[in-house]
Amino acid sequence: MTFADNDIAYLVDVSPGTGTLPPRAWPPGSDAARLSLNGTWRFRLSEHAALDTGFAHEDFDPSAWDEVRVPGHWVLQGRGQGTHDGTYGSPAYTNTLYPFPLDPPYVPTENPTGDHLHRFDLPAGWPSDGGAVLRFDGVESCARVWLNGTELGEFKGSRLPHEFAVGPLLRPRGNVLAVRVHQWSSGSYLEDQDQWWMPGIFRDVTLLHRPEDAVRDHFVHASYDHDSGTGTLRVDSEPAGRVLIPGLGIDIASGESVTVAAEPWSAEQPRLYEGELVTGGERVRLRVGFRTVRVEDGLIKANGRPLLFRGVNRHEFHPETGRTLDLATMREDVLLMKRHNINAVRTSHYPPHPAFLDLCDELGLWVIDECDLETHGFHAVGWHGNPVADPRWTPALLDRAARMVERDKNHPSVVIWSLGNECDTGEGLTAMAGWIRERDPSRPIHYEGDLSCKDTDFYSRMYADHAEVDAIGRGAEDPLPDAGLDARRRGLPFLQCEYAHAMGNGPGGLAEYQALFERYPRLQGGFVWEWIDHGLAHEEFGYAYGGDYGEELHDGNFVCDGLLFPDRTPSPGLLDFKSVIQPVRMEGDGHEGVVTIRNLYDVVDLSHLTFTWSYEKDGETVREGVLDVPAVPAGGSTEVKLPEPPRRDPDAATQWTLRARLARDTAWAARGHLVAWAQLPVEYGMGAPVPGGSAPVADGARITLGSGTFDARTGTLLAVGGIPVRGFGLDVWRAPTDNDNGMSWLTGSSVAVKWRALGLDRMHHRVDAVESGTDALTVRTRVAPAASDLALRVTYHWISNGIRLALRADVEPEGVWKVPLPRIGVRLGLPAAYDRTTWWGAGPGESYPDTGSAAMQGIWSASVPELQTPYVRPQENGARADVRWLELTDGQRPLLVDGGTFSFTARPWSTAELDAAAHRTDLVAGDTVWLHLDAAHHGIGSESCGPGVLPDHRLDATRPARLAVQFSVRGSQEPRRPA
Ligand code: IPT
C-alpha cells in the first residue's frame, strides 16, 4: 500500500475532509431528540493505517475485539483497570518538535490506527420524520466514518466539530457505527501545540434528530448601547422562525431587529436572557447576553468600558482522561478561575469543548477563542514548508476558522477570535482573518505570531519582559521596519497573550507586571501561561511528564507549567495571582489609620462586597469590626478612616488586616468568600532580647556554652537544650527550580547551570578557628567550592544565658562573585519527631522575594509534610518568609527559634535528595527533619520561559550578609515568648 492508493490518500490530502455538513452554531439546548453514543465501544488497534475496511461491514463480528471508553484517548486506556497500562501505546510529549519527520503532508508508516465499532438502537419514540445528524465534537487526528456499512466520509481538525447527515441510513435497531481513527494525518502538521500527543475519539459522539424545518444554523447578534442602556437583538436563522425572549417581552421574526431596555452582559455581571428560537421543526434555546466589543481609541472596550484582562491560558486537561473532560471538571475550572479573581481565559490553543463556553457565558469570563492551529515545529527547519505560508493548505485553514466561528459565534463570553498559536506568518493566516472579519465583524481578531499585526486588532506578545512591556505601555516600543505598519501597531491595544510561565515554583515578578498593566491604559492585561499542569496520573511516578513513557523526543516537565497541580489543587502561584490581580486595592498608612480603597473592576461598583478590619498585636487579633465603604463605582476610589486603635504599644508588633468579602451568594462562590485583602503595619515592635552570660566550658571533644553543645575541633553545633543537631552549617544551595534551570535545555545556560558549574551544591567547609572567649564562642570558617578561589568567610558568634542560645552568622564574600547565591542561611538536622511547626510570619503558604503575594502576616501551624509544596518535578519549595518566631515540636520539648526576621524551610529530606528527585515518589522521609534558617533567598523569576529574576530580587553575593537567630527549648507549659 502507498499513499497513492485511494484507500488512504485522504490521510495526507491537505483538504479538510469529505462528506461532512457545513459547520453551524452549537446551541445550548434544543427540543429535538438526541442520543448520546458515548459509552463502551469495541476497539482494535493497528500499527499502520493501510488496512482493509472489512470491519465497517454491518455483519462484521467484533466479539474478539477489546473495549474502550468513548470519549477517550486509547493511549490512556488498557485492558487493566481503565488507566494507562501501555496496552494501546503511550502518550508522548513534545513542546514544539514534531515526533515524526517533517515532510508535509506525509506521515509515517507507523501510524497507530484505532478501529472503533459501536452498535446502537434508536430509543423508543425516536421520531420517524425528518433527518438525523451524527456529530463528532473532537477526534484526534483523522477519522473515517461508516454507518451501517455505508461510508460517510472522513475529516481532520481534532478539536473541532464535524457532522454527517445520516437520516436515511438509520434503522430502529442494530445500527452499526464504524470509526477508523488515525493518530497521524496531514492535520497533525497543523496541530503542533505544546501538549501530549494523544489520539482518540476524545469528545462526545451524538446522534441528533433533525426534524423537517429544524434550525440549520442561527446567528445571535445582541449588541448593547451603553449611552442609551439598550440592547439590540437580531437572530438570523435558517430557516426563518420566531425569536422569543419572554423576560424582555420580545417576540419577533428571525432577521428582524429590536431594541429594548436591557442589562448588559459582562464577565463581572453575566446577565443572560433566556429565550427560544422557534422554527417549524425545532425550538432552540437562546441565552442572550447583550454586549458590544470594540477596539476604539486604541483600547478594547466592552459596552464602552476599557477592559483589563486578568487572564489564564487554558488547555483542556485531566490527569486521568487527558483532553476528555466531563462537565463537572469544566465547571470546576470556571469556578476556580472566578474564585481566584480571574476574569478572562484564552482557549489555548484550540476551541474547547462547547460546554465550557456555556459555563463562561453563565458564570462570566471574557474569552479569547483560539483556533485549532499551530505549526511551531517548522521553526526547527527555518519555517521551510510551513503550511500557513503555502496556499495549498489555505482551504484547510479556512475550514478550521469556519468550524470555530460557526460553532461558537453565539456566545457572549467570546469577545475575541484568535487565529491560532505559533505558526510564524503566512497568507493562510491572512485568509483566515479576512474570512472571519467578513463573517463576524462584531469581534476583534488576535494572533501573536506576526509582529506586524497586519491581520489583527491587537499588539500581542508572549513572555515580553517587564522593561519591554513598560516601553509598550509608553508607546515607545522598537519600531517595525515598515513605517505604515508601525504607525498602525502603535495605535493598537496591547495584550500579553502568554506571560508569567507558571512552571514549578513561581512565577516570580507577577506583581511588577500587574503594576505595569494598571499604570498604562494601552496595556490591557495578560494571560498567565498556563492554567493546569499536564501531569498524567502514573502508578510509579505519581504524575508522569515528558520522557516517562520512553518517548524518542520529549520536552520533560515543560508540560507541567500550570497554576493548578494536575489534580486541580491550586499551587502557590495561583494563590499569588489571586492576590496580585485582586479587583479592590486597599493601601494606606497604618499609623495614621487612613486607607484608600480603589475599585479596579471594569464594570461593577463595590456594593457586592463587605469590608472588615482587624487589629492585630504580635500576630493575634485583638479587635475587629466592619468597615463602612461606599459603593465606589468601577475605576473610582475612596478614603476611609480606620477606627482608633485599642491602645498604642510601641513594644508590640501591630498591624491592620483589611478584608473584602462577597456580601451575598453568587453563582460561583458563597457569601463571605474572600476577594481582596491588605495588611497595613503600625509598629514593628521589639525583637527578642539578646542573652549572654554563659561562658564556654571545654570538656574533651565537646564545648558547652549555656544551652548549646559544640564539637570542640570544628565548632559545629551538636545539640541545643539537649536536642541533638546534625549537619549544622552555612548552606547556600537550593534544589534548582524550573525557573532557576531556565531554558538551559535550549540555550545551555541558566543561573542554575552556573551555580552547579561553580559548585555551590558541593561547598567545602574549612574551620580556621574555634575561639572560646569569656562569654562567647566564635567559630571562623571559609566556605568555598573546589577548583575556585571564590569563597564565603563565615563567622559564627555564639552566646547564651543558659536557656537561650544566640547565633550571629556573618558572611563576607571573598573574590569576584558574578553569580547570585541561591540562598544564605544555616542548615541543621533535627530528629524526625520534630515534625510540627508553628510560626509568626508570612503564611500559610510559601514565599520567596518575588512571590508570596498571597502570604499574610499571622500565626500559622503546619506539619512538616504540609510545609512541602508538591511540585510535579521536585525542586526548592516551601520557604516561609518574614518569620519573627518559629516553633518546632516533637510534642514534648518545643524548640523555639526567634531573634531577627528570617525565612525557614523544614523538610523530611535533605536538599541533596530534593535536588536528585525527578518525581514526587522519589522523595522518602528519613530520620531527620532538615531545617533551613535563611537570611535571604534569591528570587524566583519566570525564566523557564520568560524573564529571570528582577534586579531587586537577586541575592547579590558581593555584599556581606548576616543571620541572627536564637534557639531555646522550653517545657511545654512555659509561655512561648520570653519576658
Ligand atoms: C509558548 C507557546 O505558545 C505555548 O504553547 C507554550 O509552549 C509556552 O510557550 C511555553 O510553555 S511558545 C515559546 C516559544 C515562547
Side-chain angles (χ1 to χ4, degrees):
M1 279 276 199
T2 70
F3 288 123
D5 288 323
N6 276 340
D7 221 36
I8 54 166
Y10 63 91
L11 259 187
V12 294
D13 180 341
V14 296
S15 87
T18 55
T20 55
L21 291 165
R24 63 179 179 116
W26 181 235
S30 152
D31 69 344
R34 68 163 72 194
L35 174 66
S36 168
L37 300 179
N38 295 347
T40 304
W41 292 30
R42 288 288 181 176
F43 179 72
R44 172 186 67 184
L45 183 66
S46 308
E47 285 167 9
H48 55 89
L51 305 162
D52 78 66
T53 55
F55 84 108
H57 293 160
E58 300 171 80
D59 45 14
F60 181 83
D61 174 11
S63 53
W65 286 20
D66 290 347
E67 291 183 330
V68 289
R69 271 169 292 120
V70 170
H73 304 277
W74 68 70
V75 289
L76 295 184
Q77 304 190 42
R79 296 194 190 95
Q81 272 313 302
T83 51
H84 167 265
D85 61 6
T87 310
Y88 308 124
S90 297
Y93 168 59
T94 59
N95 167 13
T96 65
L97 300 175
Y98 287 96
F100 48 78
L102 280 182
D103 182 24
Y106 299 103
V107 293
T109 304
E110 303 76 39
N111 188 354
T113 292
D115 287 331
H116 298 69
L117 275 177
H118 187 56
R119 261 184 114 72
F120 63 94
D121 300 335
L122 294 179
W126 185 269
S128 51
D129 66 312
V133 155
L134 177 65
R135 180 181 175 92
F136 293 88
D137 278 307
V139 182
E140 183 165 331
S141 78
C142 173
R144 184 175 175 188
V145 186
W146 295 259
L147 183 65
N148 294 333
T150 300
E151 183 164 359
L152 301 176
E154 86 292 326
F155 62 83
K156 302 168 200 114
S158 297
R159 299 105 201 175
L160 292 164
H162 303 272
E163 291 182 328
F164 295 101
V166 295
L169 298 175
L170 284 175
R171 48 193 181 222
R173 310 194 64 77
N175 295 286
V176 180
L177 176 58
V179 186
R180 170 163 286 173
V181 180
H182 308 285
Q183 174 156 24
W184 309 121
S185 67
S186 62
S188 306
Y189 283 98
L190 304 180
E191 295 173 5
D192 189 29
Q193 290 94 342
D194 174 6
Q195 59 181 349
W196 295 101
W197 296 94
M198 290 189 294
I201 305 174
F202 71 99
R203 284 187 192 155
D204 307 311
V205 184
T206 318
L207 184 70
L208 302 158
H209 177 229
R210 304 314 293 144
E212 287 300 334
D213 274 333
V215 178
R216 220 291 302 150
D217 192 14
H218 69 298
F219 197 161
V220 178
H221 305 274
S223 59
Y224 184 76
D225 179 342
H226 61 276
D227 290 323
S228 61
T230 54
T232 297
L233 176 67
R234 189 185 85 230
V235 180
D236 295 333
S237 144
E238 196 201 316
R242 298 283 315 162
V243 176
L244 312 171
I245 313 285
L248 290 170
I250 292 177
D251 179 350
I252 52 171
S254 61
E256 195 181 317
S257 254
V258 64
T259 298
V260 292
E263 291 169 37
W265 187 97
S266 69
E268 291 169 13
Q269 268 173 345
R271 180 66 167 101
L272 289 177
Y273 291 94
E274 285 287 337
E276 276 184 325
L277 166 65
V278 185
T279 62
E282 190 180 14
R283 301 178 87 88
V284 158
R285 184 176 177 202
L286 301 177
R287 297 212 297 176
V288 176
F290 292 96
R291 50 126 196 81
T292 293
V293 191
R294 211 170 269 152
V295 174
E296 59 184 10
D297 314 322
L299 298 173
I300 178 165
K301 297 180 187 172
N303 306 326
R305 305 198 65 98
L307 300 178
L308 184 63
F309 293 117
R310 305 172 177 93
V312 290
N313 280 279
R314 174 182 180 268
H315 265 290
E316 296 192 302
F317 186 75
H318 188 282
E320 264 117 38
T321 55
R323 284 186 285 280
T324 299
L325 263 60
D326 59 11
L327 253 180
T329 305
M330 294 182 225
R331 179 173 282 274
E332 192 181 349
D333 276 350
V334 178
L335 293 179
L336 280 166
M337 288 177 193
K338 295 289 289 183
R339 289 173 188 161
H340 290 88
N341 293 333
I342 289 163
N343 71 356
V345 58
R346 171 175 177 234
T347 70
S348 53
H349 301 299
Y350 42 81
H353 188 288
F356 178 77
L357 297 176
D358 288 338
L359 292 165
C360 294
D361 292 344
E362 179 187 316
L363 296 163
L365 287 172
W366 305 112
V367 177
I368 300 184
D369 196 358
E370 188 152 275
C371 200
D372 190 6
L373 179 63
E374 174 157 347
T375 62
H376 208 158
F378 282 90
H379 176 254
V381 294
W383 296 102
H384 174 73
N386 183 13
V388 309
D390 177 343
R392 285 174 297 175
W393 291 82
T394 301
L397 304 188
L398 289 173
D399 180 74
R400 285 170 187 250
R403 286 185 191 280
M404 168 178 75
V405 170
E406 299 299 4
R407 190 194 76 170
D408 296 342
K409 59 186 180 261
N410 294 334
H411 291 282
S413 57
V414 174
V415 288
I416 298 173
W417 299 119
S418 179
L419 304 179
N421 185 57
E422 292 281 9
C423 299
D424 198 49
T425 58
E427 62 190 76
L429 294 165
T430 306
M432 290 171 84
W435 184 89
I436 294 173
R437 275 189 211 289
E438 176 84 27
R439 177 66 178 141
D440 178 22
S442 80
R443 291 175 175 98
I445 294 178
H446 169 270
Y447 174 65
E448 188 272 348
D450 184 352
L451 281 177
S452 82
C453 302
K454 66 177 186 315
D455 298 318
T456 69
D457 300 298
F458 299 93
Y459 181 20
S460 175
R461 291 275 290 114
M462 47 172 78
Y463 309 106
D465 63 19
H466 300 78
E468 184 184 346
V469 172
D470 186 85
I472 295 169
R474 289 182 280 112
E477 67 268 27
D478 291 342
L480 287 167
D482 179 309
L485 285 171
D486 184 62
R488 182 177 173 277
R489 195 179 72 177
R490 259 170 231 285
L492 297 179
F494 177 78
L495 298 179
Q496 274 265 67
C497 70
E498 294 176 24
Y499 79 114
H501 200 247
M503 185 179 182
N505 188 337
L510 274 175
E512 289 84 354
Y513 274 120
Q514 194 62 21
L516 293 170
F517 296 160
E518 289 174 16
R519 180 170 321 143
Y520 302 110
R522 185 191 188 188
L523 308 181
Q524 295 199 270
F527 296 77
V528 167
W529 187 268
E530 67 175 309
W531 177 236
I532 184 168
D533 285 342
H534 310 207
L536 286 166
H538 191 286
E539 227 161 73
E540 184 184 344
F541 300 136
Y543 290 110
Y545 50 77
D548 288 341
Y549 299 103
E551 298 103 297
E552 174 191 350
L553 292 175
H554 68 82
D555 289 292
N557 68 315
F558 206 62
V559 77
C560 293
D561 52 1
L563 294 171
L564 295 178
F565 293 120
D567 66 357
R568 289 190 156 66
T569 308
S571 76
L574 179 58
L575 304 180
D576 280 2
F577 190 48
K578 176 186 177 183
S579 287
V580 166
I581 59 174
Q582 53 190 23
V584 181
R585 195 130 304 150
M586 297 172 272
E587 287 155 335
D589 183 324
H591 246 286
E592 290 178 1
V594 180
V595 55
T596 303
I597 299 183
R598 285 196 291 141
N599 178 348
L600 302 177
Y601 285 101
D602 296 323
V603 179
V604 297
D605 67 27
L606 296 185
S607 59
H608 68 291
L609 299 174
T610 302
F611 289 78
T612 59
W613 59 269
S614 78
Y615 188 78
E616 288 134 32
K617 194 174 147 184
D618 291 337
E620 315 267 10
T621 299
V622 291
R623 210 187 272 184
E624 53 198 338
V626 171
L627 197 62
D628 259 328
V629 176
V632 181
S637 69
T638 188
E639 259 195 13
V640 176
K641 181 95 188 83
L642 296 171
E644 215 30 61
R647 173 165 45 87
R648 296 265 185 211
D649 177 355
D651 284 356
T654 45
Q655 65 178 11
W656 299 98
T657 300
L658 309 174
R659 292 181 174 86
R661 299 175 182 280
L662 287 181
R664 287 172 289 279
D665 289 349
T666 65
W668 48 270
R671 176 175 161 240
H673 165 81
L674 183 69
V675 172
W677 61 276
Q679 290 184 316
L680 310 180
V682 184
E683 301 285 353
Y684 185 77
M686 299 275 285
V690 179
S694 305
V697 179
D699 174 15
R702 301 270 180 275
I703 295 174
T704 306
L705 175 72
S707 52
T709 309
F710 300 82
D711 182 301
R713 194 176 45 83
T714 61
T716 306
L717 179 69
L718 296 177
V720 51
I723 303 170
V725 170
R726 53 183 283 231
F728 177 87
L730 183 89
D731 200 346
V732 294
W733 183 237
R734 75 181 182 198
T737 64
D738 292 319
N739 287 312
D740 293 336
N741 287 330
M743 299 194 86
S744 53
W745 50 273
L746 190 67
T747 62
S749 176
S750 72
V751 72
V753 166
K754 290 177 189 155
W755 286 344
R756 258 189 234 279
L758 181 59
L760 297 185
D761 57 334
R762 44 186 170 81
M763 297 289 260
H764 292 243
H765 294 246
R766 186 182 80 202
V767 181
D768 289 337
V770 179
E771 300 164 0
S772 289
T774 48
D775 62 352
L777 180 69
T778 304
V779 182
R780 299 183 195 281
T781 67
R782 185 178 185 276
V783 181
S788 170
D789 61 358
L790 296 180
L792 301 168
R793 294 270 179 190
V794 188
T795 310
Y796 306 91
H797 303 273
W798 296 98
I799 55 174
S800 178
N801 63 358
I803 297 164
R804 300 175 70 77
L805 175 68
L807 164 67
R808 201 183 77 219
D810 285 314
V811 182
E812 287 278 348
E814 200 175 282
V816 184
W817 283 81
K818 292 196 178 134
V819 291
L821 292 172
R823 63 167 5 119
I824 291 191
V826 296
R827 171 200 65 206
L828 53 161
L830 298 169
Y834 280 81
D835 64 354
R836 272 141 291 171
T837 64
T838 302
W839 71 99
W840 175 27
E846 67 189 29
S847 7
Y848 291 83
D850 54 351
T851 69
S853 296
M856 280 184 176
Q857 283 294 323
I859 295 177
W860 309 101
S861 289
S863 68
V864 168
E866 285 164 353
L867 290 173
Q868 314 310 309
T869 309
Y871 294 111
V872 170
R873 186 192 71 81
Q875 55 197 275
E876 166 65 31
N877 71 86
R880 268 58 179 186
D882 301 323
V883 176
R884 304 283 293 264
W885 57 254
L886 158 71
E887 188 183 86
L888 286 105
T889 185
D890 61 351
Q892 311 281 318
R893 308 187 60 223
L895 172 67
L896 180 71
V897 186
D898 61 3
T901 306
F902 56 94
S903 143
F904 83 92
T905 56
R907 311 195 161 99
W909 35 74
S910 66
T911 300
E913 287 164 325
L914 186 62
D915 191 7
H919 295 95
R920 292 179 183 177
T921 47
D922 294 335
L923 291 169
V924 182
D927 60 359
T928 303
V929 164
W930 290 102
L931 175 65
H932 288 260
L933 304 170
D934 291 301
H937 277 267
H938 184 55
I940 296 293
S942 62
E943 207 166 0
S944 54
C945 189
V949 174
L950 289 168
D952 282 356
H953 305 306
R954 283 169 64 88
L955 178 46
D956 188 350
T958 65
R959 274 190 300 230
R962 167 174 292 181
L963 174 76
V965 285
Q966 301 181 23
F967 302 92
S968 52
V969 178
R970 61 178 178 88
S972 47
Q973 300 313 309
E974 289 167 41
R976 182 171 285 136
R977 299 300 313 273

